[in-house]
Amino acid sequence: MIEFDNVSKTYQNKWTALNNVSFTVERGEFLFITGPTGAGKTTILKIIYAEELPTAGKVIVNNKNIATIKKKEISLYRRNIGIIFQDFKLLYDRTVYENLEFVLKAINMKGNEIREKIMRILTRLGLMHKKDCYPYQLSGGEQQKVAIARALVKDPEIILADEPTGNIDEEASKEIINIFKEINLMGTTVVMATHHSELPQLLKKRRLHIVQGKIVDG
Amino acid sequence: MVSFIFKESLRGIRKKPLSFLLSTFAFGLCLLIILIFFLLTYNLFISLKIAYDKIEIYAFLDEKTSFSEIKDKISLINGVEEIRYISKDEALKILKEELKEEASFLENLDRNPLPPSLRIRISPKAKQVDEIKRIEDKLRLIPGIKDVWAGEELISKLVKVLNNIIYIDIGILIVVALSVIFIIFQNIEQSLFNRQREIEIMQLVGATDYFIKAPFYLEGILEGVLGGIFSFILLFIIYRIMSLSAITLSFPTILLLIFTILIGAFLGGIGSNLALNRILK
Ligand SMILES: Nc1ncnc2c1ncn2[C@@H]1O[C@H](COP(=O)(O)OP(=O)(O)OP(=O)(O)O)[C@@H](O)[C@H]1O
Ligand SMILES: [Mg+2]
């Protein structure tokens, strides 16, 4: 599903964030990317969702080479990917429901379909009772759940999560991680970047450990 | 789709109602300057057109020459469209009519001092300084014609005035258009700044460029149209006040309204476009 073939990334300031990275992620797999700060975890995710283009190498996602993707094709390509960040990136002047609605309307989905999809995902994540709350009325864990709901509501085949538990306490983190496990069990491919090097073992999932832009394990 | 774009656009405006309103007013006031010049130029053109259409060449004849003798010769000149003969008596009558009350001194004349003359209408194509000069020279060569008055100096002055006015209009149009575009530009820049998060999310979930940009275009165009309507209303008020003080201008209402709305929408669109291109690569 995702294949990195000798990918290198050098940023404009000549900093090499990735150095000859190769790995594959199968459809339905759950992959952790671990490593110290500045290792290049976020860079890998950014290359997958075409925010950054690799300087060298091939990146194949769903049989498409993302390394040479055209600007115009990016929007359609991203509809198949759900992205979750450490800082949630919610809209604070809109309710939970409206946050999800915004995303579906922005990708031009029809009205009746929108409501149904939102209700289904809110029920699944146990957020129904919070649907009319504003994000500031929610705990950090709940806000991250809303962000996950927003990523899932458009039924992506791939979920990318960058440090999703970085801003929430341990208790809530466990719940969030369990949600990702469930998402993965339903067949969605998950790639998660994290500092917590014990998480892969705990969940018995494959991990890719990188240090200074190089894969050292996995 | 359209409703989403509208809603998002209005949402953006509601976040900064005062600055939207004030910049719309500022936009309208600037546009008013363009409108005033447009209206004045329009009226000037109308009066000049009337003067222009009236242009005729006057040829004064020898008292002994008969009209039929030279009529054919004049008709042969290129550009001559119609020749009217004004006899001595007719000339006096016309003069009396033009002078109205002050014509009384003419009663005491024992002899009619006015020569018979021809009024020569020329074709529209020939209404150019060079052409008139050419016709005038040919007329002078015809025996029996004492003098010719064509008024080409007047025409060349008219043309010069017209050209200068058009240059001034264009200059003002450019300066005002630039300021007006800048007003919209700043406003949209602020909107883009206010809605960074929305834009970021839209880009991440795969919204097309069109969906991302349309609400901002709409805002700029809306501001342009509202500002345009505002300036039109101001112009109309000014026009009515001027009418009260007996300054009669012709006021092409529909033409002005359409012109204002179109130019408002156009300049608003350009302002949005500049802001969008600068901030969203
Ligand atoms: N836009 C950029 N321009 C220049 N250098 C960058 C840019 N983004 C990242 N880098 C550099 O590339 C390296 C890898 O960054 P990256 O964000 O991928 O690390 P990370 O593994 O996600 O770190 P963290 O765990 O702190 O999030 C870092 O040294 C960083 O400074
Ligand atoms: Mg990172």
Side-chain angles (χ1 to χ4, degrees):
Chain A
M1 168 139 261
I2 302 171
E3 184 187 346
F4 272 50
D5 183 7
N6 277 311
V7 172
S8 294
K9 172 70 188 179
T10 305
Y11 283 106
Q12 274 101 328
N13 60 0
K14 307 260 157 54
W15 180 269
T16 300
L18 294 179
N19 195 347
N20 269 321
V21 170
S22 299
F23 66 92
T24 51
V25 186
E26 300 301 329
R27 185 177 291 274
E29 203 183 344
F30 193 133
L31 176 76
F32 280 104
I33 301 174
T34 58
T37 184
K41 307 182 289 296
T42 299
T43 302
I44 289 178
L45 296 183
K46 280 186 173 168
I47 287 174
I48 297 176
Y49 67 86
E51 178 73 22
E52 296 286 352
L53 295 179
T55 321
K58 260 199 289 188
V59 178
I60 312 287
V61 180
N62 263 338
N63 303 320
K64 188 171 177 58
N65 190 357
I66 303 309
T68 57
I69 194 167
K70 293 193 193 74
K71 216 166 168 275
K72 270 192 189 158
E73 301 172 321
I74 291 179
S75 64
L76 215 57
Y77 166 70
R78 281 190 186 160
R79 292 188 187 185
N80 198 23
I81 301 176
I83 311 165
I84 293 142
F85 299 92
Q86 178 172 356
D87 61 353
F88 322 136
K89 295 194 195 294
L90 298 174
L91 298 170
Y92 284 84
D93 59 344
R94 302 185 201 225
T95 63
V96 169
Y97 185 90
E98 287 167 345
N99 264 277
L100 304 198
E101 187 186 36
F102 176 76
V103 164
L104 294 182
K105 284 194 168 165
I107 58 171
N108 204 11
M109 199 174 273
K110 296 279 175 321
N112 39 359
E113 210 180 336
I114 288 178
R115 193 173 170 77
E116 195 186 306
K117 274 191 192 292
I118 296 176
M119 290 312 190
R120 202 180 325 130
I121 199 74
L122 288 180
T123 311
R124 189 170 146 201
L125 294 185
L127 281 169
M128 265 313 264
H129 61 298
K130 300 284 187 189
K131 94 176 168 30
D132 295 319
C133 291
Y134 288 89
Y136 61 83
Q137 297 167 320
L138 303 176
S139 71
E142 286 167 335
Q143 289 188 40
Q144 190 58 295
K145 277 208 251 176
V146 175
I148 295 171
R150 185 180 64 190
L152 283 177
V153 75
K154 57 190 179 113
D155 296 322
E157 287 184 289
I158 301 170
I159 286 279
L160 305 177
D162 195 354
E163 217 81 64
T165 57
N167 269 345
I168 42 192
D169 62 57
E170 217 172 307
E171 199 60 30
S173 294
K174 277 184 192 153
E175 199 189 344
I176 296 295
I177 294 298
N178 274 326
I179 291 172
F180 280 106
K181 240 171 86 181
E182 268 174 49
I183 296 168
N184 179 241
L185 277 176
M186 309 278 286
T188 310
T189 309
V190 178
V191 179
M192 185 187 295
T194 179
H195 276 120
H196 300 283
S197 40
E198 77 290 352
L199 264 180
Q201 257 183 329
L202 222 61
L203 271 78
K204 303 193 179 60
K205 298 295 179 194
R206 201 181 126 208
R207 77 154 185 179
L208 206 67
H209 191 69
I210 52 174
V211 177
Q212 289 185 8
K214 280 192 171 147
I215 299 178
V216 294
D217 179 22
Chain B
M1 173 178 107
V2 176
S3 89
F4 170 78
I5 289 165
F6 256 93
K7 268 192 202 153
E8 289 304 315
S9 194
L10 289 179
R11 212 186 165 98
I13 293 170
R14 257 188 281 131
K15 270 192 186 164
K16 48 172 185 87
L18 194 66
S19 82
F20 180 81
L21 210 66
L22 289 180
S23 55
T24 302
F25 281 158
F27 185 97
L29 285 175
C30 288
L31 216 55
L32 182 64
I33 299 172
I34 294 184
L35 281 192
I36 288 174
F37 274 85
F38 182 83
L39 185 65
L40 292 180
T41 308
Y42 177 82
N43 275 274
L44 202 74
F45 265 83
I46 288 180
S47 23
L48 289 181
K49 176 87 170 67
I50 292 170
Y52 194 71
D53 286 345
K54 275 193 191 151
I55 287 173
E56 283 177 327
I57 297 178
Y58 290 40
F60 301 98
L61 303 180
D62 240 323
E63 304 216 354
K64 287 159 274 173
T65 315
S66 80
F67 177 42
S68 48
E69 260 176 66
I70 54 170
K71 185 179 182 199
D72 292 342
K73 284 188 195 156
I74 298 174
S75 311
L76 282 177
I77 300 174
N78 247 337
V80 169
E81 212 172 56
E82 195 193 302
I83 310 162
R84 229 161 9 109
Y85 178 71
I86 312 280
S87 67
K88 285 174 73 74
D89 293 346
E90 265 176 286
L92 190 64
K93 217 173 93 196
I94 292 170
L95 187 64
K96 277 180 181 167
E97 267 164 25
E98 278 173 3
L99 291 175
K100 287 189 192 122
E101 288 96 44
E102 286 120 69
S104 54
F105 76 93
L106 290 174
E107 309 289 345
N108 308 326
L109 295 173
D110 49 346
R111 199 178 66 87
N112 180 354
L114 300 172
S117 62
L118 299 177
R119 297 206 175 168
I120 301 162
R121 263 237 318 267
I122 51 181
S123 65
K125 258 192 268 166
K127 277 188 188 168
Q128 286 164 23
V129 178
D130 299 349
E131 282 291 289
I132 291 173
K133 191 112 186 92
R134 181 182 60 80
I135 295 172
E136 188 185 338
D137 289 345
K138 286 208 168 144
L139 285 171
R140 281 188 198 284
L141 292 177
I142 295 172
I145 293 182
K146 274 198 318 198
D147 200 6
V148 179
W149 186 82
E152 70 262 20
E153 298 92 4
L154 195 72
I155 295 172
S156 70
K157 260 185 206 151
L158 280 187
V159 171
K160 241 184 233 154
V161 168
L162 269 185
N163 282 340
N164 285 340
I165 284 170
I166 289 172
Y167 287 143
I168 292 172
D169 278 353
I170 290 174
I172 286 172
L173 193 77
I174 290 172
V175 172
V176 176
L178 286 179
S179 358
V180 151
I181 288 171
F182 186 69
I183 291 172
I184 302 274
F185 172 85
Q186 286 222 306
N187 202 43
I188 299 302
E189 204 175 36
Q190 194 196 342
S191 281
L192 283 163
F193 183 76
N194 286 346
R195 291 166 57 78
Q196 279 172 357
R197 196 29 92 70
E198 272 96 341
I199 294 169
E200 187 189 2
I201 292 170
M202 286 176 96
Q203 285 172 337
L204 286 173
V205 300
T208 53
D209 244 24
Y210 169 75
F211 263 72
I212 296 173
K213 290 179 174 175
F216 299 100
Y217 274 114
L218 188 66
E219 184 182 339
I221 290 172
L222 195 70
E223 189 169 338
V225 169
L226 288 178
I229 291 172
F230 174 61
S231 70
F232 178 81
I233 292 171
L234 288 180
L235 185 75
F236 190 73
I237 293 170
I238 292 174
Y239 163 69
R240 292 316 285 265
I241 291 172
M242 284 173 79
S243 305
L244 287 181
S245 45
I247 300 169
T248 46
L249 288 175
S250 58
F251 192 86
T253 315
I254 302 291
L255 180 70
L256 270 174
L257 190 60
I258 292 173
F259 172 77
T260 318
I261 288 176
L262 285 184
I263 203 169
F266 177 69
L267 295 175
I270 291 185
S272 308
N273 189 267
L274 290 177
L276 283 165
N277 281 342
R278 202 175 99 134
I279 292 173
L280 301 178
K281 307 124 276 163

